[in-house]
Amino acid sequence: GTSCGAVTSEPQTASIEDKTPSIGVFEITGVTEICSGTSTNLECTHVNGGTYLWNTGATTRSINTGNLTDDTNYSVTVTKVNGTCSATKTANIAITVNALPSAPSLSNPEAICEGTTFTLPEKDDSKKTITWNVNNRELTNLSVGPHTYTAKIVENGCESEATTYTI
Protein backbone atom coordinates (compact mmCIF):
# COMPACT_ATOMS: atom_id res chain seq x y z
CA GLY A 1 0.00 0.00 0.00
CA THR A 2 0.66 3.54 -0.16
CA SER A 3 1.27 5.61 2.83
CA CYS A 4 0.05 9.21 2.98
CA GLY A 5 2.32 9.97 5.83
CA ALA A 6 1.53 11.92 8.94
CA VAL A 7 0.17 15.40 8.66
CA THR A 8 1.48 17.75 11.28
CA SER A 9 0.30 21.25 11.91
CA GLU A 10 1.86 23.95 13.95
CA PRO A 11 -0.43 26.06 16.07
CA GLN A 12 -0.91 29.49 14.55
CA THR A 13 -1.20 32.64 16.57
CA ALA A 14 -3.17 35.59 15.44
CA SER A 15 -2.61 38.98 16.96
CA ILE A 16 -5.47 41.41 17.21
CA GLU A 17 -4.52 44.99 17.72
CA ASP A 18 -6.97 46.94 19.87
CA LYS A 19 -7.45 50.22 18.08
CA THR A 20 -10.05 51.54 20.51
CA PRO A 21 -8.85 55.04 21.39
CA SER A 22 -8.24 55.92 25.01
CA ILE A 23 -10.04 58.91 26.46
CA GLY A 24 -8.65 58.66 29.96
CA VAL A 25 -10.00 60.50 32.97
CA PHE A 26 -11.78 63.77 32.33
CA GLU A 27 -14.15 66.03 34.23
CA ILE A 28 -16.13 69.24 34.05
CA THR A 29 -14.85 72.11 36.17
CA GLY A 30 -16.51 75.38 37.14
CA VAL A 31 -18.38 77.16 39.91
CA THR A 32 -21.23 74.88 41.02
CA GLU A 33 -23.16 77.30 43.25
CA ILE A 34 -24.36 80.64 41.88
CA CYS A 35 -26.99 83.31 42.57
CA SER A 36 -30.24 83.45 40.65
CA GLY A 37 -29.93 85.53 37.49
CA THR A 38 -26.18 84.93 37.10
CA SER A 39 -24.13 82.59 34.93
CA THR A 40 -21.00 80.47 35.22
CA ASN A 41 -18.41 79.04 32.84
CA LEU A 42 -18.00 75.27 32.63
CA GLU A 43 -14.98 73.59 31.07
CA CYS A 44 -14.22 70.00 30.17
CA THR A 45 -10.72 68.59 30.65
CA HIS A 46 -8.80 68.62 27.35
CA VAL A 47 -8.93 65.29 25.50
CA ASN A 48 -6.33 65.19 22.73
CA GLY A 49 -8.13 64.40 19.48
CA GLY A 50 -11.54 64.31 21.15
CA THR A 51 -14.75 66.03 20.13
CA TYR A 52 -17.20 67.47 22.65
CA LEU A 53 -20.98 67.49 22.73
CA TRP A 54 -22.77 69.21 25.64
CA ASN A 55 -26.39 68.51 26.50
CA THR A 56 -27.00 72.12 25.39
CA GLY A 57 -25.86 71.24 21.86
CA ALA A 58 -22.55 73.13 22.17
CA THR A 59 -19.51 71.42 20.64
CA THR A 60 -16.75 73.40 22.34
CA ARG A 61 -14.58 72.46 25.33
CA SER A 62 -16.16 75.15 27.49
CA ILE A 63 -19.57 76.78 27.73
CA ASN A 64 -21.26 79.64 29.55
CA THR A 65 -24.51 78.61 31.22
CA GLY A 66 -26.27 81.90 30.57
CA ASN A 67 -28.27 83.46 33.39
CA LEU A 68 -29.90 80.71 35.46
CA THR A 69 -32.90 80.89 37.78
CA ASP A 70 -33.21 77.17 38.64
CA ASP A 71 -30.84 74.33 39.55
CA THR A 72 -29.54 72.88 36.29
CA ASN A 73 -27.59 69.75 35.31
CA TYR A 74 -25.03 69.76 32.51
CA SER A 75 -23.25 66.91 30.79
CA VAL A 76 -20.62 66.63 28.09
CA THR A 77 -19.86 63.57 26.01
CA VAL A 78 -16.38 63.23 24.58
CA THR A 79 -15.85 61.06 21.51
CA LYS A 80 -12.47 60.00 20.19
CA VAL A 81 -12.08 58.15 16.87
CA ASN A 82 -9.20 55.97 15.66
CA GLY A 83 -9.95 54.67 12.15
CA THR A 84 -13.17 52.68 12.45
CA CYS A 85 -12.96 52.41 16.24
CA SER A 86 -14.34 55.00 18.61
CA ALA A 87 -14.77 55.55 22.33
CA THR A 88 -17.09 57.84 24.26
CA LYS A 89 -17.25 59.01 27.85
CA THR A 90 -19.67 61.35 29.59
CA ALA A 91 -19.14 63.67 32.57
CA ASN A 92 -21.86 65.45 34.55
CA ILE A 93 -22.04 68.52 36.77
CA ALA A 94 -24.93 70.01 38.77
CA ILE A 95 -25.29 73.77 39.22
CA THR A 96 -27.12 74.94 42.35
CA VAL A 97 -28.89 78.29 41.96
CA ASN A 98 -29.48 80.20 45.20
CA ALA A 99 -32.44 82.58 45.40
CA LEU A 100 -31.77 86.26 45.92
CA PRO A 101 -32.79 87.43 49.38
CA SER A 102 -35.48 90.04 49.78
CA ALA A 103 -34.41 93.65 50.22
CA PRO A 104 -34.12 94.69 53.87
CA SER A 105 -37.29 95.81 55.59
CA LEU A 106 -36.45 98.69 57.92
CA SER A 107 -38.46 100.89 60.19
CA ASN A 108 -37.78 104.59 59.69
CA PRO A 109 -35.28 105.97 62.19
CA GLU A 110 -36.01 108.83 64.52
CA ALA A 111 -34.62 112.18 63.42
CA ILE A 112 -31.29 113.06 65.00
CA CYS A 113 -29.62 116.39 65.48
CA GLU A 114 -26.67 117.50 63.37
CA GLY A 115 -23.39 116.49 65.01
CA THR A 116 -24.87 113.52 66.89
CA THR A 117 -24.57 109.86 65.95
CA PHE A 118 -27.00 107.05 65.40
CA THR A 119 -26.28 103.31 65.44
CA LEU A 120 -27.52 101.57 62.31
CA PRO A 121 -29.36 98.32 63.07
CA GLU A 122 -27.39 95.10 62.45
CA LYS A 123 -30.56 93.23 61.50
CA ASP A 124 -33.66 94.20 59.55
CA ASP A 125 -37.25 93.83 60.79
CA SER A 126 -37.23 90.13 59.75
CA LYS A 127 -34.01 89.53 61.77
CA LYS A 128 -31.73 89.15 58.73
CA THR A 129 -28.21 90.53 58.96
CA ILE A 130 -27.69 93.77 57.01
CA THR A 131 -24.64 94.93 55.07
CA TRP A 132 -24.47 98.74 55.15
CA ASN A 133 -22.91 100.97 52.51
CA VAL A 134 -22.37 104.66 52.00
CA ASN A 135 -21.04 105.99 48.67
CA ASN A 136 -20.51 102.35 47.53
CA ARG A 137 -18.20 101.59 50.47
CA GLU A 138 -19.11 99.02 53.10
CA LEU A 139 -19.42 100.39 56.62
CA THR A 140 -17.66 98.58 59.44
CA ASN A 141 -18.61 101.07 62.16
CA LEU A 142 -22.37 101.36 62.44
CA SER A 143 -22.28 104.50 64.60
CA VAL A 144 -23.07 107.17 62.02
CA GLY A 145 -24.23 110.72 61.53
CA PRO A 146 -26.94 112.17 59.28
CA HIS A 147 -26.57 110.78 55.76
CA THR A 148 -28.27 108.50 53.23
CA TYR A 149 -27.19 104.86 53.56
CA THR A 150 -28.00 101.75 51.60
CA ALA A 151 -28.78 98.41 53.19
CA LYS A 152 -28.54 94.97 51.59
CA ILE A 153 -29.04 91.41 52.79
CA VAL A 154 -26.42 88.81 51.77
CA GLU A 155 -27.37 85.12 52.02
CA ASN A 156 -25.49 82.17 50.48
CA GLY A 157 -23.26 84.69 48.71
CA CYS A 158 -26.27 86.33 47.02
CA GLU A 159 -27.08 90.00 47.50
CA SER A 160 -30.54 91.56 47.70
CA GLU A 161 -31.68 94.77 46.10
CA ALA A 162 -30.66 97.82 48.13
CA THR A 163 -32.95 99.70 50.50
CA THR A 164 -32.23 103.39 51.06
CA TYR A 165 -32.14 104.53 54.66
CA THR A 166 -31.87 108.26 55.36
CA ILE A 167 -30.97 109.61 58.78
Side-chain angles (χ1 to χ4, degrees):
T2 37
S3 166
C4 291
V7 177
T8 60
S9 69
E10 296 292 318
Q12 300 292 315
T13 56
S15 64
I16 299 173
E17 183 181 348
D18 184 3
K19 292 187 178 194
T20 304
S22 173
I23 292 178
V25 176
F26 78 101
E27 65 183 353
I28 302 171
T29 57
V31 175
T32 58
E33 191 170 351
I34 63 173
C35 299
S36 182
T38 63
S39 66
T40 187
N41 292 315
L42 303 175
E43 184 173 49
C44 177
T45 307
H46 177 70
V47 175
N48 194 22
T51 59
Y52 307 89
L53 179 60
W54 292 84
N55 61 330
T56 62
T59 57
T60 54
R61 228 180 99 207
S62 61
I63 62 168
N64 180 282
T65 62
N67 293 344
L68 300 177
T69 55
D70 296 308
D71 294 352
T72 307
N73 295 314
Y74 291 90
S75 65
V76 63
T77 299
V78 174
T79 302
K80 193 170 180 182
V81 177
N82 182 9
T84 58
C85 299
S86 66
T88 60
K89 273 192 179 178
T90 301
N92 300 292
I93 194 168
I95 307 301
T96 301
V97 179
N98 294 318
L100 298 177
S102 300
S105 170
L106 296 165
S107 302
N108 289 327
E110 297 294 321
I112 63 170
C113 296
E114 188 71 40
T116 60
T117 60
F118 175 82
T119 301
L120 295 170
E122 291 182 28
K123 301 204 181 276
D124 75 346
D125 295 342
S126 64
K127 307 296 184 225
K128 293 185 179 179
T129 301
I130 299 172
T131 301
W132 289 98
N133 291 277
V134 64
N135 299 328
N136 293 321
R137 290 185 22 225
E138 188 171 327
L139 294 175
T140 53
N141 179 358
L142 298 183
S143 182
V144 296
H147 206 290
T148 298
Y149 301 91
T150 56
K152 293 181 181 180
I153 303 289
V154 179
E155 290 180 332
N156 298 316
C158 299
E159 198 172 88
S160 72
E161 293 290 322
T163 297
T164 301
Y165 196 68
T166 303
I167 299 173

